Amino acid sequence: MHRLLCRTLAVLALCTFALAKLPAQDATENFVKSHYTKYEFRIPMRDGKRLFTSVYVPKTGAFSDAGPYPFLMDRTPYSVGPYGEDQYPMHLGPSDEFEKGGYIFVYQDVRGRWMSEGDFVEMRPHIDDKKGPQDVDDASDTHDTIDFLLKNVPGNNGKVGIWGISYPGFYTSASMIDSHPALVAASPQAPMTNLFKGDDAYHGGTFMLEANFGFYVFFKPQHNPEDPAHAQRDNFDFGTPDHYQWYLKAGSLADMEAKSLKGSNWLYNDQFQHDTYDAYWKSRDLAPHMKNVKCAVLVVGGWYDAEDLAGPYGTFYAVNKFNPETPTTLVEGPWVHGGWARGDGSHLGDAQFNAKTAEYFRANIQFPFFEHYLKGKSAGAQPKAVVFETGTNVWRSFDAWPPKAAQPKTLYFHANGKLSFDAPADAKGFDEYVSDPNHPVPFVGYTTDTVPQRYMVDDQRFASYRPDVLVYQTEPLEEDVTIAGPIAPKLKIASSGTDSDFVVKLIDVYPDDAPDVEGSGNKRILDSAPLHMGGYQQLLRGEPFRAKFRNSWEKPEALTPGKQTAIDFTMPDLFHTFRRGHRIMVQVQSTWFPLTDRNPQTFTDIPHAKPEDFVKATEQVFHQKDAASGVEVLVMP
């Protein structure tokens, strides 16, 4: 179960947690067993449902710190196994520092998952005004759990911290609302905040196809309580490692569901059938409810998080907006989804960061944060933002995010593939390409059976060679250019279709003489192909936008064929320095498959589109004085 789920949308949140919950082995088993006593509770909620909770209490004399100890909690839909008070995990807590630091660890199956009672609701909507005991949400479940722990687990110091990655990050965010007085520190990490606007389900109105389908073939409704040890293993077989071809042959989203899932998973159906920003999604946006947050908050995200890139910003900005007096810090590093929780964070794919960024975070940011608020140990005041600057590969701190010094500038498109901060002066000018949804641009240049986490820094040269991808780039930079904050494409387009997607990618192009990480080889290449960094086109940020949402997320509008229109949207933040001698590149295309679903380029009900709806379209991108296209960035002085 755990190994299979690691291939899904919540890959790192689950893998980090699941690996921590597998049966103990070797020396680690001896440490956990010899230092902690495990208790299992079925904690009653206010509506009578009981949530399964595992609690690990330090044994008397196990640590130099004799206690009393604070609670550190993780609430998850991915199972708190192994079950049984004689069964111990390999590790406890967010990192080794905690396991050896003296904490009472609490792990809970959320409502309706695994051994907990009740009904599971995807990203359960928060209820601001609870009328009675039947009005429950994840804030109330956390509140009731804390009440129980304080009264029934001896040796606690009356303080509670909570953390979680991905879905557990959402539960962490939800727990902070109307904070229990004992909840003094919370760290939502890669939290889902708004599934339609930039988190797992939809980006720019496009459905994140491969990640979502790959998740929901394993993450299914349950009949609780259900012990993972006895759960039915229904492994989905794609039958091929080439998912580009599999998804292309699968047809529309509805066809895919009918053929492959056959109505077995209403959780997945909810995702693709609600393809506009309707009441289903609005009720699940946690940001408007982030009020009365009384605990200190450490929001964590990764610049290269393929799942919940937008969620940390949504949570961070909402907490600051509604709770300006609450100590709140944003941490962003060069990490994939949950990449700060294990490994050293020194590289991703071919991109090198020349620092053990994950180790630094765990030892110097995360552990001191909880030690300070849960144990009263001294720690310097946290800045508003602690962020890793890629390109120069250094940590920096700011008293606001984005930094106050960053100023907006636009990288404009010009004729002949030129890109510069100078606005175009030509009276007329545009580039065009033919987009074919039956021959879509792949999102990676190699065969894959998943969404490889490294794709967010992968070399884009394979895409730049295609005729259905526009490429604009600067001359080699004469000085460093540092951007910090959100990225905003502003396109003037026309299409022969009645709907189209526009994918914009911001890229760092290495100099032609950039040194290779490995030997360059020669013509007698007998092993794997060598990696040449000269001219490497490193993806920094890429996002799609579905044109029918250009005026409203709720009420899509068809394009008028041939009519010029504006496509303006915002991509998640970045903190990167383009070094002297590098080039800045922007690529524009209309398919990104199978990362996103295919737009038929016909204004229609896309999930149920028929084969004849998928047609070619000619896309024009203008770069003239009265219709300038470009990408707005915030540039540091």
Side-chain angles (χ1 to χ4, degrees), residues 72 291 349 484:
L72 191 53
K291 301 174 182 178

Side-chain angles (χ1 to χ4, degrees), residues 388-462:
F388 189 82
E389 180 183 328
T390 53
T392 53
N393 296 330
V394 294
W395 285 101
R396 300 196 188 278
S397 297
F398 297 98
D399 59 3
W401 186 261
K404 296 175 183 177
Q407 297 297 315
K409 295 183 69 174
T410 299
L411 288 158
Y412 289 101
F413 303 168
H414 293 266
N416 302 314
K418 301 295 184 182
L419 184 72
S420 80
F421 287 114
D422 299 322
D426 295 340
K428 291 185 179 181
F430 66 86
D431 294 307
E432 67 180 18
Y433 58 94
V434 176
S435 172
D436 184 357
N438 294 305
H439 186 53
V441 180
F443 75 102
V444 292
Y446 45 86
T447 300
T448 179
D449 64 352
T450 187
V451 178
Q453 292 179 311
R454 60 165 289 160
Y455 96 84
M456 295 194 73
V457 297
D458 264 348
D459 190 357
Q460 299 300 300
R461 281 178 283 198
F462 77 94

Side-chain angles (χ1 to χ4, degrees), residues 89-110:
M90 292 172 59
H91 298 287
L92 294 172
S95 65
D96 289 344
E97 291 89 349
F98 293 90
E99 182 180 291
K100 298 177 175 66
Y103 284 80
I104 301 173
F105 295 101
V106 179
Y107 295 96
Q108 185 175 75
D109 285 335
V110 297

Side-chain angles (χ1 to χ4, degrees), residues 16 20 40 73 226 230 313 337 410 428 470 475 504 512 570 632:
T16 301
E40 293 182 342
M73 182 190 306
E226 182 173 335
H230 305 112
Y313 305 109
H337 193 58
T410 299
K428 291 185 179 181
L470 299 181
E475 294 297 323
V504 176
D512 288 338
T570 301
E632 184 179 272

Side-chain angles (χ1 to χ4, degrees), residues 35-109:
H35 287 72
Y36 293 90
T37 300
K38 181 181 180 183
Y39 300 94
E40 293 182 342
F41 298 99
R42 288 167 174 80
I43 299 179
M45 301 293 105
R46 62 191 64 182
D47 66 342
K49 300 300 183 183
R50 298 179 300 168
L51 303 191
F52 186 93
T53 310
S54 294
V55 180
Y56 300 85
V57 180
K59 292 182 178 180
T60 302
F63 299 100
S64 57
D65 178 357
Y69 301 106
F71 293 103
L72 191 53
M73 182 190 306
D74 187 19
R75 305 185 68 242
T76 180
Y78 301 124
S79 170
V80 302
Y83 298 94
E85 291 189 344
D86 61 340
Q87 299 297 311
Y88 283 76
M90 292 172 59
H91 298 287
L92 294 172
S95 65
D96 289 344
E97 291 89 349
F98 293 90
E99 182 180 291
K100 298 177 175 66
Y103 284 80
I104 301 173
F105 295 101
V106 179
Y107 295 96
Q108 185 175 75
D109 285 335

